[in-house]
Amino acid sequence: MLKRIPSILISISFVLLLLYPLHIFAQETQDLSWPLKEKEVEILLGIIRNNPLSTAQSNLFFTSLSSSDPNAPRETGAVVLVKQAILKKQLNYWFKDVPREFSKKFLKAALGVGLTIATQGSYGAQNIINQIEKLTIKKANEYALNWFLQNEIKVGSGKAKYNFSSYKGNPKTINIQYIIVYHPINQTHGKIVVEFYSKEPIEPPVGTSPNALGRPMDNPNANSWPWDRWLENERQKDNDGKLEPFIVRVKGYVKKDTWGNFEWDKSKSEPVVEVDFDKPVPEIEQSDIILRTSEKEMKKNYLVKKILNPLFERINATKGPAFEKFKKIKEIAEDLINKIKNFSTSFKLGAQIAQNSLPLSKSPPPALPLSPKPNPYKYK
């Protein structure tokens, strides 16, 4: 048993020593990708939940009690459902790797969220969306992804889920898809536009009194919204007892603190919450996104299958005195070094060639017959 220890230690040492630079290279490559990272999305959703959603929830709640506006109660319900879904942390992030391709449905939704706002109307987003519909899926992706890169726009998307008991006592689950568009102003400041989608009518939860629990506007067990006012108005409309499909939109300026975490930049303006029941709700799904296999995963699979497994098979098959074993392992290790060197060189070259052929380059996007008129909508 003791005679086998040196061979195992030597082989493991060589493997760790040689894999470490490859891991660093893969990590650096992944850091250059344009989607928002999962951690960034979690932080942005966190500050959105804390404020302005909780603030909007409180304001809408008391507006519902003090006015006859029939929209205020259901707007409160929409905000509550989005906020509670984030608060419950039942979140799914869709961009685990750099996406290879999007459906046209997703591209149109992403462009509609924030591209015009992010560029202050220098492009007509609706014109781009209309033209994308006429392109092939390959050309549509080429145009949109180059647009993201040229304008330094980052996108994140996923789904938030919330389980609750409805006001009728029925168990319900609401799935809220989201798209986040982030446009940097400089290295530490930027603008975000986020849309949350509830595409199916939902039987909402019972509302909790704002005085029933401590910090009720930000409590996972407190749905503070005037559900009785909503139900009264509902019976005068379609009377199906369900909250209609909605879009909750959040816009604002953000900055990064000392540790690189996002926080609201209120020196520019307060973040804004908008609730929309009148526009068609985009139907985006995780299946609208085809992910590219990451370089890190490709390297891992190749090394395990082609190099490490044969290496350990040869080590285990080595027989004879300790000196002969050591000599054989030294030969195997030298062979391993050469293989990994060749692998690393060819992989970098292959990655460079592939990168030059992908639609993710910063070359100008394909020309589209766009209207030169700027969009009059200005970011608040």
Side-chain angles (χ1 to χ4, degrees), residues 58-69 72-73 76 209-211 217 225-230:
S58 177
N59 293 339
L60 285 168
F61 188 102
F62 292 107
T63 298
S64 302
L65 299 182
S66 61
S67 73
S68 57
D69 182 3
T76 317
S209 167
N211 299 317
M217 296 300 174
W225 76 292
W227 71 283
D228 50 347
R229 296 290 181 98
W230 164 80

Side-chain angles (χ1 to χ4, degrees), residues 4 18 23 37 54 118 134 138 215 218 220 253 261 295 321 347-348 377:
R4 297 186 61 187
L18 293 166
H23 169 74
K37 297 181 176 62
S54 288
K134 303 174 185 178
K138 181 180 179 180
R215 298 186 64 198
D218 205 23
Y253 290 86
N261 298 322
E295 292 186 16
F347 196 95
K348 288 181 181 179
Y377 182 82

Side-chain angles (χ1 to χ4, degrees), residues 235-355:
R235 287 169 177 163
Q236 298 173 13
K237 295 181 178 181
D238 56 10
N239 198 29
D240 65 352
K242 294 181 179 180
L243 197 66
E244 294 83 4
F246 61 79
I247 301 172
V248 172
R249 185 178 304 106
V250 179
K251 302 181 291 187
Y253 290 86
V254 295
K255 61 183 179 180
K256 292 183 178 180
D257 61 19
T258 307
W259 297 275
N261 298 322
F262 288 108
E263 57 185 25
W264 292 113
D265 184 6
K266 296 183 181 180
S267 65
K268 295 282 188 180
S269 66
E270 292 283 340
V272 177
V273 176
E274 300 170 350
V275 184
D276 200 333
F277 285 96
D278 299 323
K279 291 184 180 178
V281 178
E283 298 184 7
I284 61 170
E285 299 288 350
Q286 191 168 2
S287 58
D288 291 319
I289 301 167
I290 300 175
L291 298 176
R292 188 188 315 279
T293 302
S294 68
E295 292 186 16
K296 184 177 179 181
E297 189 66 25
M298 291 171 66
K299 289 177 179 180
K300 175 184 174 183
N301 293 340
Y302 183 91
L303 288 169
V304 170
K305 183 177 179 181
K306 298 294 185 180
I307 297 178
L308 298 185
N309 285 346
L311 167 68
F312 287 111
E313 288 177 3
R314 291 171 66 183
I315 289 175
N316 291 333
T318 301
K319 298 179 180 179
F323 177 78
E324 291 298 325
K325 284 186 178 182
F326 181 82
K327 183 178 178 181
K328 185 65 177 177
I329 290 169
K330 181 175 179 293
E331 294 174 358
I332 294 173
E334 290 173 349
D335 182 45
L336 174 63
I337 291 173
N338 292 328
K339 283 186 176 180
I340 292 183
K341 282 182 178 179
N342 294 334
F343 163 69
S344 180
T345 302
S346 61
F347 196 95
K348 288 181 181 179
L349 179 61
Q352 184 178 3
I353 294 172
Q355 180 69 19

Side-chain angles (χ1 to χ4, degrees), residues 30-48 91 93 95 152-157 178 180-182 184 187-188 192 194 254-256 259-263:
Q30 199 163 353
D31 287 343
L32 298 176
S33 61
W34 60 265
L36 284 166
K37 297 181 176 62
E38 184 172 7
K39 187 63 176 178
E40 292 175 319
V41 170
E42 289 178 354
I43 293 171
L44 288 172
L45 291 178
I47 65 173
I48 288 169
L91 303 172
Y93 178 68
F95 290 1
E152 299 181 323
I153 287 173
K154 292 191 173 186
V155 180
S157 189
Y178 63 85
I180 299 180
V181 173
Y182 172 70
Q187 289 185 343
T188 57
I192 64 166
V194 187
V254 295
K255 61 183 179 180
K256 292 183 178 180
W259 297 275
N261 298 322
F262 288 108
E263 57 185 25

Side-chain angles (χ1 to χ4, degrees), residues 45-281:
L45 291 178
I47 65 173
I48 288 169
R49 170 196 58 77
N50 185 47
N51 176 45
L53 288 184
S54 288
T55 301
Q57 176 188 355
S58 177
N59 293 339
L60 285 168
F61 188 102
F62 292 107
T63 298
S64 302
L65 299 182
S66 61
S67 73
S68 57
D69 182 3
N71 281 324
R74 66 174 184 164
E75 287 179 0
T76 317
V79 169
V80 165
L81 288 173
V82 171
K83 193 211 70 178
Q84 294 299 91
I86 299 173
L87 192 60
K88 288 286 189 177
K89 297 187 181 302
Q90 294 177 307
L91 303 172
N92 187 4
Y93 178 68
W94 289 346
F95 290 1
K96 297 295 184 182
D97 292 315
V98 178
R100 186 184 72 191
E101 184 178 282
F102 297 104
S103 70
K104 286 186 182 181
K105 182 171 63 175
F106 184 90
L107 288 177
K108 290 190 293 183
L111 289 167
V113 170
L115 297 189
T116 299
I117 296 173
T119 55
Q120 299 182 351
S122 62
Y123 288 84
Q126 190 57 50
N127 291 333
I128 295 177
I129 293 171
N130 292 339
Q131 292 299 328
I132 277 182
E133 187 62 43
K134 303 174 185 178
L135 298 174
T136 64
I137 187 65
K138 181 180 179 180
K139 289 293 184 181
N141 273 270
E142 181 179 349
Y143 183 87
L145 297 181
N146 274 308
W147 204 98
F148 290 150
L149 285 172
Q150 283 186 347
N151 293 278
E152 299 181 323
I153 287 173
K154 292 191 173 186
V155 180
S157 189
K159 181 176 68 175
K161 185 171 68 173
Y162 179 36
N163 302 313
F164 58 88
S165 179
S166 76
Y167 72 96
K168 292 184 178 181
N170 299 320
K172 295 293 178 181
T173 298
I174 185 170
N175 293 304
I176 300 175
Q177 291 80 14
Y178 63 85
I179 294 178
I180 299 180
V181 173
Y182 172 70
H183 179 61
I185 299 172
N186 53 43
Q187 289 185 343
T188 57
H189 292 69
K191 294 181 287 187
I192 64 166
V193 182
V194 187
E195 284 191 352
F196 300 93
Y197 307 125
S198 174
K199 63 182 181 180
E200 301 292 341
I202 187 74
E203 196 172 280
V206 173
T208 308
S209 167
N211 299 317
L213 296 171
R215 298 186 64 198
M217 296 300 174
D218 205 23
N219 189 304
N221 300 313
N223 295 302
S224 297
W225 76 292
W227 71 283
D228 50 347
R229 296 290 181 98
W230 164 80
L231 189 57
E232 182 181 343
N233 293 327
E234 177 68 17
R235 287 169 177 163
Q236 298 173 13
K237 295 181 178 181
D238 56 10
N239 198 29
D240 65 352
K242 294 181 179 180
L243 197 66
E244 294 83 4
F246 61 79
I247 301 172
V248 172
R249 185 178 304 106
V250 179
K251 302 181 291 187
Y253 290 86
V254 295
K255 61 183 179 180
K256 292 183 178 180
D257 61 19
T258 307
W259 297 275
N261 298 322
F262 288 108
E263 57 185 25
W264 292 113
D265 184 6
K266 296 183 181 180
S267 65
K268 295 282 188 180
S269 66
E270 292 283 340
V272 177
V273 176
E274 300 170 350
V275 184
D276 200 333
F277 285 96
D278 299 323
K279 291 184 180 178
V281 178

